[in-house]
Amino acid sequence: MPSADIKVEYALSWAMAMKDTVRFVGELMEVSARTAPKAAGEDFIEVALLSDSERVALGNDMIRIGKERGTYGFERDGQNVLDSDAVVLIGLLPHKGVGLNCGACGYGTCKEFNEKSSSGDFKGPNCVVRALDLGIALGSAAKQAGEFNIDNRIMYRIGVAARRLGLGQANMSHGIPLSATGKNIFFDRQKK
Ligand code: SF4
């Protein structure tokens, strides 16, 4: 019969191996976001598999934002980030309009769009066609995680904290936390 020490050692080494596996899938997700199709073949997508210290700082800042704003969602998602094995951050870098003059951004021409600037949780305005690039990249990365049965969830709030912490140069970003446990931690979450 294995001793308690051996059982603990086995559980720890299994958890470390699992974390390495999850991080490897995170690297594959970076590839998926990088190769996702982009308008006019121009790449304004920023992708990063965060280091563990960045992930912890991110989760703690999300909880801090929740307390500052009095919104439980940030605290709940921040705890998810702290409980996850890794986070992939995907954002849209500063860019000009694609040049279609399509009007979808609320400006008649890309030239008008290019002259505007705004700032809130994220920097704007952003070309809608480029925002679609971001959505496609996020979807491609999440799909890759799903292919390997790694639990994940695309989170707006990760992008808010990432911008506050200066993680990356993106105008706006979303994050995908990853986890591999017997129960998906990103769903059926406790309501306050
Ligand atoms: S969304 Fe705006 S900036 Fe983008 S292509 Fe259309 S008009 Fe140009």
Side-chain angles (χ1 to χ4, degrees), residues 67-96:
K67 290 189 189 331
E68 286 168 12
R69 298 188 182 183
T71 55
Y72 176 59
F74 272 97
E75 293 183 54
R76 179 199 57 207
D77 289 2
Q79 190 58 53
N80 263 167
V81 166
L82 292 177
D83 292 339
S84 70
D85 293 310
V87 170
V88 176
L89 186 66
I90 304 179
L92 180 60
L93 290 164
H95 56 278
K96 301 251 188 254

Side-chain angles (χ1 to χ4, degrees), residues 4-5 7 9 12 14 30 38-39 42 60 67 71-72 76 80 98 100 110 118 122 127 141 150 174 190:
D5 280 354
K7 277 191 194 165
E9 200 174 310
L12 283 174
W14 187 87
E30 288 184 290
K38 296 163 185 79
E42 294 169 344
N60 284 329
K67 290 189 189 331
T71 55
Y72 176 59
R76 179 199 57 207
N80 263 167
V98 171
L100 296 170
C110 294
S118 63
F122 298 131
C127 170
I150 301 294
H174 283 13
Q190 201 178 2

Side-chain angles (χ1 to χ4, degrees), residues 134-171:
L134 176 60
I136 293 167
L138 282 161
S140 298
K143 181 221 164 226
Q144 184 68 283
E147 291 285 335
F148 290 93
N149 299 317
I150 301 294
D151 294 333
N152 67 92
R153 185 165 183 152
I154 296 175
M155 291 187 179
Y156 166 98
R157 296 180 181 93
I158 287 179
V160 177
R163 182 156 180 251
R164 272 177 36 134
L165 295 175
L167 297 174
Q169 307 296 315
N171 278 2

Side-chain angles (χ1 to χ4, degrees), residues 42-76:
E42 294 169 344
D43 190 351
F44 290 92
I45 297 300
E46 181 178 62
V47 194
L49 174 61
L50 299 185
S51 69
D52 228 36
S53 60
E54 288 171 330
R55 177 185 62 81
V56 171
L58 187 74
N60 284 329
D61 195 53
M62 290 166 72
I63 291 171
R64 203 172 300 122
I65 295 171
K67 290 189 189 331
E68 286 168 12
R69 298 188 182 183
T71 55
Y72 176 59
F74 272 97
E75 293 183 54
R76 179 199 57 207

Side-chain angles (χ1 to χ4, degrees), residues 96-110 113-114 126-130:
K96 301 251 188 254
V98 171
L100 296 170
N101 298 320
C102 68
C105 57
Y107 303 105
T109 64
C110 294
F113 162 88
N114 291 339
N126 290 286
C127 170
V128 171
V129 183
R130 289 286 169 229

